[in-house]
Amino acid sequence: GAGVSQSPSNKVTEKGKDVELRCDPISGHTALYWYRQRLGQGLEFLIYFQGNSAPDKSGLPSDRFSAERTGESVSTLTIQRTQQEDSAVYLCASSIRGTSGRYNEQFFGPGTRLTVL
Amino acid sequence: GQNIDQPTEMTATEGAIVQINCTYQTSGFNGLFWYQQHAGEAPTFLSYNVLDGLEEKGRFSSFLSRSKGYSYLLLKELQMKDSASYLCAVNYGGATNKLIFGTGTLLAVQP
């Protein structure tokens, strides 16, 4: 079966431009997460969608960052007026549901490598 | 706040055993995950603990003590391909059962 997919795999943009990153979770997974990972560092939580609940946006670093999810399917992460500090790999993960137990295991996509020149 | 601590780097020898520790202080607890991440790749699931004790899966084992807020990942018969970053993640419950990740331990296996 298909895993989590992300597009584009690589994105190079100029400072000040807007970018949109896409994530297609595993079918049937109600929970979806976005993370940022800078080179050589750990995962930085950005935002979490769980079913029809209001998203947990507590990790978004600034108002330039926003994300949307259509129902329980595709999600897009938008970064406006990109800065060089936004350069990182953006990872998306999904899980069956946002509950306790093994069902919370996250399956990660391959990531989008964003480079802001 | 929520906090997870892991050593930043470790080095071990091929064929040996290595233990990677993780301590956590979280407002709640609904399970702990270990993930493996090779350079340039996405994290992949290794193990899950929710009850105290040891979970064994081949060369990898994971231990949990909830009272101590402590877990470790044990890798036996190390192979060069085990060189990777190992991430500890805790589901601290709450309304959304969100996972919080540690910064990861970079393990280098030497011949």
Short mmCIF file of all heavy atoms in Angstrom, two decimals, chain A residues 38-71:
data_model
loop_
_atom_site.label_atom_id
_atom_site.label_comp_id
_atom_site.label_asym_id
_atom_site.label_seq_id
_atom_site.Cartn_x
_atom_site.Cartn_y
_atom_site.Cartn_z
N ARG A 38 16.00 20.95 10.83
CA ARG A 38 17.18 21.64 10.31
C ARG A 38 18.34 20.65 10.30
O ARG A 38 18.35 19.65 11.01
CB ARG A 38 17.50 22.86 11.15
CG ARG A 38 16.45 23.96 11.03
CD ARG A 38 16.98 25.28 11.54
NE ARG A 38 16.11 26.39 11.20
CZ ARG A 38 15.28 26.95 12.06
NH1 ARG A 38 15.17 26.51 13.28
NH2 ARG A 38 14.53 27.97 11.67
N LEU A 39 19.35 20.95 9.51
CA LEU A 39 20.47 20.04 9.30
C LEU A 39 21.10 19.65 10.62
O LEU A 39 21.49 20.51 11.41
CB LEU A 39 21.50 20.70 8.38
CG LEU A 39 22.65 19.82 7.92
CD1 LEU A 39 22.12 18.66 7.08
CD2 LEU A 39 23.67 20.63 7.14
N GLY A 40 21.17 18.35 10.87
CA GLY A 40 21.84 17.84 12.06
C GLY A 40 21.08 18.03 13.35
O GLY A 40 21.63 17.82 14.43
N GLN A 41 19.80 18.41 13.24
CA GLN A 41 19.03 18.66 14.45
C GLN A 41 17.81 17.74 14.53
O GLN A 41 17.54 16.96 13.63
CB GLN A 41 18.60 20.13 14.48
CG GLN A 41 19.80 21.07 14.50
CD GLN A 41 19.42 22.49 14.84
OE1 GLN A 41 18.33 22.76 15.31
NE2 GLN A 41 20.35 23.40 14.62
N GLY A 42 17.10 17.82 15.64
CA GLY A 42 15.94 16.98 15.86
C GLY A 42 14.69 17.49 15.16
O GLY A 42 14.73 18.48 14.43
N LEU A 43 13.59 16.81 15.39
CA LEU A 43 12.32 17.19 14.80
C LEU A 43 11.68 18.31 15.60
O LEU A 43 11.55 18.23 16.81
CB LEU A 43 11.37 16.00 14.78
CG LEU A 43 11.77 14.80 13.92
CD1 LEU A 43 10.73 13.71 14.03
CD2 LEU A 43 11.95 15.22 12.49
N GLU A 44 11.28 19.35 14.90
CA GLU A 44 10.60 20.48 15.52
C GLU A 44 9.13 20.43 15.11
O GLU A 44 8.79 20.57 13.94
CB GLU A 44 11.25 21.78 15.04
CG GLU A 44 10.61 23.04 15.57
CD GLU A 44 11.23 24.30 14.95
OE1 GLU A 44 12.15 24.17 14.12
OE2 GLU A 44 10.75 25.40 15.27
N PHE A 45 8.25 20.21 16.08
CA PHE A 45 6.82 20.13 15.80
C PHE A 45 6.30 21.46 15.29
O PHE A 45 6.63 22.52 15.83
CB PHE A 45 6.09 19.73 17.08
CG PHE A 45 4.60 19.92 17.01
CD1 PHE A 45 3.81 19.00 16.34
CD2 PHE A 45 3.99 21.01 17.61
CE1 PHE A 45 2.44 19.17 16.27
CE2 PHE A 45 2.62 21.18 17.56
CZ PHE A 45 1.84 20.27 16.89
N LEU A 46 5.48 21.41 14.25
CA LEU A 46 4.87 22.61 13.70
C LEU A 46 3.37 22.66 13.96
O LEU A 46 2.85 23.60 14.58
CB LEU A 46 5.14 22.71 12.20
CG LEU A 46 6.60 22.86 11.77
CD1 LEU A 46 6.69 22.89 10.26
CD2 LEU A 46 7.22 24.12 12.38
N ILE A 47 2.64 21.65 13.46
CA ILE A 47 1.18 21.68 13.54
C ILE A 47 0.65 20.26 13.47
O ILE A 47 1.29 19.36 12.92
CB ILE A 47 0.58 22.55 12.40
CG1 ILE A 47 -0.93 22.78 12.59
CG2 ILE A 47 0.88 21.94 11.04
CD1 ILE A 47 -1.50 23.85 11.66
N TYR A 48 -0.54 20.06 14.05
CA TYR A 48 -1.13 18.73 14.17
C TYR A 48 -2.62 18.83 13.87
O TYR A 48 -3.32 19.64 14.45
CB TYR A 48 -0.88 18.23 15.59
CG TYR A 48 -1.63 16.99 16.03
CD1 TYR A 48 -1.80 15.90 15.19
CD2 TYR A 48 -2.12 16.91 17.33
CE1 TYR A 48 -2.46 14.76 15.63
CE2 TYR A 48 -2.78 15.78 17.78
CZ TYR A 48 -2.95 14.70 16.94
OH TYR A 48 -3.59 13.58 17.37
N PHE A 49 -3.08 17.98 12.95
CA PHE A 49 -4.49 17.88 12.62
C PHE A 49 -5.00 16.52 13.12
O PHE A 49 -4.37 15.49 12.90
CB PHE A 49 -4.70 17.93 11.10
CG PHE A 49 -4.31 19.23 10.47
CD1 PHE A 49 -3.02 19.43 10.00
CD2 PHE A 49 -5.23 20.25 10.32
CE1 PHE A 49 -2.65 20.62 9.40
CE2 PHE A 49 -4.87 21.45 9.73
CZ PHE A 49 -3.57 21.62 9.26
N GLN A 50 -6.15 16.52 13.74
CA GLN A 50 -6.76 15.28 14.20
C GLN A 50 -8.25 15.32 13.85
O GLN A 50 -9.03 16.03 14.49
CB GLN A 50 -6.58 15.10 15.70
CG GLN A 50 -7.40 13.97 16.34
CD GLN A 50 -7.28 12.64 15.62
OE1 GLN A 50 -6.20 12.27 15.18
NE2 GLN A 50 -8.39 11.94 15.47
N GLY A 51 -8.60 14.57 12.82
CA GLY A 51 -9.99 14.49 12.41
C GLY A 51 -10.59 15.86 12.17
O GLY A 51 -10.00 16.71 11.49
N ASN A 52 -11.74 16.09 12.75
CA ASN A 52 -12.44 17.37 12.56
C ASN A 52 -12.17 18.35 13.69
O ASN A 52 -12.78 19.43 13.72
CB ASN A 52 -13.95 17.12 12.46
CG ASN A 52 -14.29 16.33 11.20
OD1 ASN A 52 -13.73 16.57 10.14
ND2 ASN A 52 -15.20 15.38 11.34
N SER A 53 -11.25 17.99 14.60
CA SER A 53 -10.93 18.89 15.71
C SER A 53 -10.14 20.08 15.20
O SER A 53 -9.51 20.02 14.14
CB SER A 53 -10.12 18.15 16.77
OG SER A 53 -10.82 17.03 17.26
N ALA A 54 -10.17 21.15 15.97
CA ALA A 54 -9.36 22.31 15.63
C ALA A 54 -7.89 21.92 15.65
O ALA A 54 -7.44 21.22 16.57
CB ALA A 54 -9.61 23.44 16.62
N PRO A 55 -7.11 22.32 14.66
CA PRO A 55 -5.69 21.93 14.64
C PRO A 55 -4.90 22.53 15.79
O PRO A 55 -5.21 23.63 16.27
CB PRO A 55 -5.20 22.47 13.28
CG PRO A 55 -6.17 23.54 12.91
CD PRO A 55 -7.48 23.14 13.50
N ASP A 56 -3.88 21.81 16.21
CA ASP A 56 -2.95 22.29 17.22
C ASP A 56 -1.83 23.03 16.49
O ASP A 56 -0.97 22.41 15.90
CB ASP A 56 -2.40 21.10 18.01
CG ASP A 56 -1.39 21.50 19.07
OD1 ASP A 56 -0.94 22.66 19.08
OD2 ASP A 56 -1.04 20.64 19.89
N LYS A 57 -1.86 24.34 16.55
CA LYS A 57 -0.91 25.17 15.82
C LYS A 57 0.21 25.68 16.72
O LYS A 57 0.94 26.61 16.34
CB LYS A 57 -1.63 26.39 15.22
CG LYS A 57 -2.80 26.06 14.32
CD LYS A 57 -3.45 27.33 13.80
CE LYS A 57 -4.63 27.03 12.92
NZ LYS A 57 -5.27 28.26 12.38
N SER A 58 0.35 25.08 17.88
CA SER A 58 1.25 25.65 18.88
C SER A 58 2.71 25.67 18.46
O SER A 58 3.51 26.40 19.03
CB SER A 58 1.11 24.89 20.20
OG SER A 58 1.43 23.52 20.02
N GLY A 59 3.09 24.88 17.44
CA GLY A 59 4.49 24.83 17.03
C GLY A 59 4.85 25.76 15.88
O GLY A 59 6.02 25.88 15.54
N LEU A 60 3.88 26.41 15.29
CA LEU A 60 4.20 27.29 14.15
C LEU A 60 5.08 28.44 14.64
O LEU A 60 4.72 29.14 15.58
CB LEU A 60 2.91 27.83 13.53
CG LEU A 60 2.03 26.78 12.86
CD1 LEU A 60 0.75 27.42 12.30
CD2 LEU A 60 2.77 26.04 11.75
N PRO A 61 6.24 28.66 14.01
CA PRO A 61 7.21 29.63 14.52
C PRO A 61 6.83 31.08 14.31
O PRO A 61 7.32 31.94 15.04
CB PRO A 61 8.50 29.28 13.75
CG PRO A 61 8.03 28.60 12.51
CD PRO A 61 6.77 27.89 12.85
N SER A 62 6.01 31.38 13.34
CA SER A 62 5.59 32.76 13.11
C SER A 62 4.32 32.77 12.28
O SER A 62 3.87 31.72 11.80
CB SER A 62 6.70 33.52 12.37
OG SER A 62 6.71 33.17 11.00
N ASP A 63 3.74 33.95 12.13
CA ASP A 63 2.50 34.04 11.36
C ASP A 63 2.75 33.90 9.85
O ASP A 63 1.81 33.94 9.06
CB ASP A 63 1.75 35.33 11.67
CG ASP A 63 2.57 36.58 11.39
OD1 ASP A 63 3.68 36.45 10.81
OD2 ASP A 63 2.12 37.67 11.75
N ARG A 64 4.00 33.74 9.45
CA ARG A 64 4.27 33.47 8.03
C ARG A 64 3.94 32.03 7.68
O ARG A 64 3.84 31.68 6.51
CB ARG A 64 5.75 33.75 7.72
CG ARG A 64 6.17 35.21 7.88
CD ARG A 64 7.60 35.44 7.39
NE ARG A 64 8.60 34.72 8.17
CZ ARG A 64 9.22 33.63 7.74
NH1 ARG A 64 8.96 33.12 6.53
NH2 ARG A 64 10.13 33.03 8.49
N PHE A 65 3.81 31.20 8.70
CA PHE A 65 3.54 29.78 8.50
C PHE A 65 2.04 29.51 8.71
O PHE A 65 1.46 29.97 9.70
CB PHE A 65 4.33 28.93 9.49
CG PHE A 65 5.79 28.85 9.22
CD1 PHE A 65 6.62 29.95 9.43
CD2 PHE A 65 6.36 27.68 8.73
CE1 PHE A 65 7.98 29.88 9.18
CE2 PHE A 65 7.72 27.60 8.48
CZ PHE A 65 8.52 28.70 8.71
N SER A 66 1.48 28.71 7.82
CA SER A 66 0.09 28.29 7.98
C SER A 66 -0.07 26.93 7.32
O SER A 66 0.74 26.53 6.48
CB SER A 66 -0.88 29.30 7.36
OG SER A 66 -0.66 29.41 5.97
N ALA A 67 -1.09 26.22 7.72
CA ALA A 67 -1.35 24.90 7.14
C ALA A 67 -2.84 24.66 7.11
O ALA A 67 -3.58 25.17 7.95
CB ALA A 67 -0.64 23.81 7.92
N GLU A 68 -3.23 23.87 6.12
CA GLU A 68 -4.63 23.50 5.98
C GLU A 68 -4.70 22.01 5.69
O GLU A 68 -3.76 21.40 5.18
CB GLU A 68 -5.29 24.27 4.83
CG GLU A 68 -5.42 25.75 5.07
CD GLU A 68 -6.18 26.45 3.95
OE1 GLU A 68 -6.43 25.81 2.91
OE2 GLU A 68 -6.52 27.64 4.12
N ARG A 69 -5.86 21.46 6.02
CA ARG A 69 -6.09 20.06 5.68
C ARG A 69 -7.53 19.94 5.23
O ARG A 69 -8.44 20.42 5.90
CB ARG A 69 -5.82 19.15 6.86
CG ARG A 69 -5.90 17.68 6.46
CD ARG A 69 -5.65 16.75 7.60
NE ARG A 69 -5.60 15.38 7.12
CZ ARG A 69 -5.63 14.32 7.91
NH1 ARG A 69 -5.69 14.46 9.22
NH2 ARG A 69 -5.59 13.10 7.39
N THR A 70 -7.72 19.24 4.15
CA THR A 70 -9.05 19.02 3.60
C THR A 70 -9.58 17.70 4.15
O THR A 70 -9.11 16.63 3.74
CB THR A 70 -9.01 18.95 2.06
OG1 THR A 70 -8.35 20.11 1.56
CG2 THR A 70 -10.42 18.87 1.50
N GLY A 71 -10.50 17.80 5.07
CA GLY A 71 -11.07 16.59 5.66
C GLY A 71 -9.99 15.74 6.28
O GLY A 71 -9.22 16.21 7.12
#
